[in-house]
Amino acid sequence: MTQRTLEPRQLAVVGVTLFSMFFGAGNLILPPLLGLQAGTSAVPATVGFLIAGIGLPVLGIIAVALAGTVRELAGRVHPLFARVFVAAVYLAIGPCLAIPRTSSTAFEMLAPLLPADVSLDTVRLVFSVAFFAVAYLLAMHPGRLTRLLGRVTGPALIALIVVVTGAALVSPGVQAAAPQAPYDHASAIQGFLTGYQTMDLLASLTFGIVIATNIREMGVTEPGPLARAISSAGVIAGVLMVLIYCGLAYVGVNATEVAAGATNGATVLTASATAHFGAVGTVVVAAIFLLACLNVCIGLISCCGTYFSQEISAVPYRWCALAFAAFSCVISNFGLDAILAFSVPLLGALYPIAIVLVIMGMLHGVCDRAPQVWPWVVGVTAIVSVVIALRDAFAPGAWIATDALPLADMGLAWVAPALVAVAIGYVHAKLAR
């Protein structure tokens, strides 16, 4: 039955579905560690993190909704760029990084509960096979994700997180510690850069394809109401993440004594939960990570399978999804550390490009009047970010010319060239007229 808009209850379910697709391992690990390390600078660090980890992804959802698809948004630069960039984003948030990370992180949280004499490599293999088999089967109906993520696993995840953060909020306050590196200098900027690691901006460019499918299943099919429903769902997911991120960051600030010296947010959460609930707390945190990682894995397999089955029409969705699940299962057995080491340069290359695309997408009415601005800004940003990423991957610490650019010491060397490219693009557009 066709309808023009979603009812509030339906919109809430779609919003929780989108939240569940976003909220994975990185979203759980990063805020508590930020709170612990930032200490007295936790507020500005958290604000920077919220801008990158929530503000940009919500804008990404809206920008794609306004453009129609991420391909149409990137196509304003060049059709070939659109194909390459969109494929790179799907592969990054899919089988090359984010999907394997879900299984590896979930296993890392379950490992402390295993007997001391078992072989971790063997158990990891069995766990990953079972994890991806379940995720694949649940992803076989991408149009029905709202029934699973929005009504069952998503609310369950939120309830468990509320238990852990609520215990920290009602417990006696602990004196916040002095900020540690990297938050002892320009904490807001460092929080912003930490937000890259959630990968949510890249995910926001791709999740729209599955969310749109679910909204169409509910009866909203016209482009205008569909775009508004997607944007509203993005705002609902963003509000949920703001509340939870702030709670998790407070857990970190309040864990100065029980998690002193921790280098991983999972350790901070486990220490806090164990301090409040004993051994049950460890089980609760493991359940939170398992649910969060499974939710995200299902969503990512659905998105990647849907996109590539449309791109390669000869291969049906179920085979694309199976290929991604199987490949990710293999990669996940290399371990979490290897996956995370690969992620930093890859995200450093893709994130600046995604940021300028989203900003220009929100200002498309202005940018489209000077179409040459699109290839200039995105092209210059891509060159700078890829060069820096290659340096970081193969020669970390080596000096390159981009290090002389403004804001390079803050990890934002691409900003000044992008602004110069805006001016060049407008001059080019005027000459072209």
Side-chain angles (χ1 to χ4, degrees), residues 332-353:
S332 69
N333 281 276
F334 285 97
L336 183 60
D337 289 342
I339 295 171
L340 293 178
F342 175 71
S343 71
V344 175
L346 179 61
L347 296 178
L350 291 176
Y351 240 80
I353 303 171

Side-chain angles (χ1 to χ4, degrees), residues 29-39 41-50 183 187 190-192 194-195 248-249 252-253 265 268:
I29 290 173
L30 296 171
L33 186 62
L34 179 149
L36 178 72
Q37 294 181 336
S41 296
V43 171
T46 302
V47 170
F49 180 82
L50 294 178
Y183 301 102
S187 57
Q190 292 302 326
F192 180 83
T194 300
L248 291 174
V253 173
V268 178

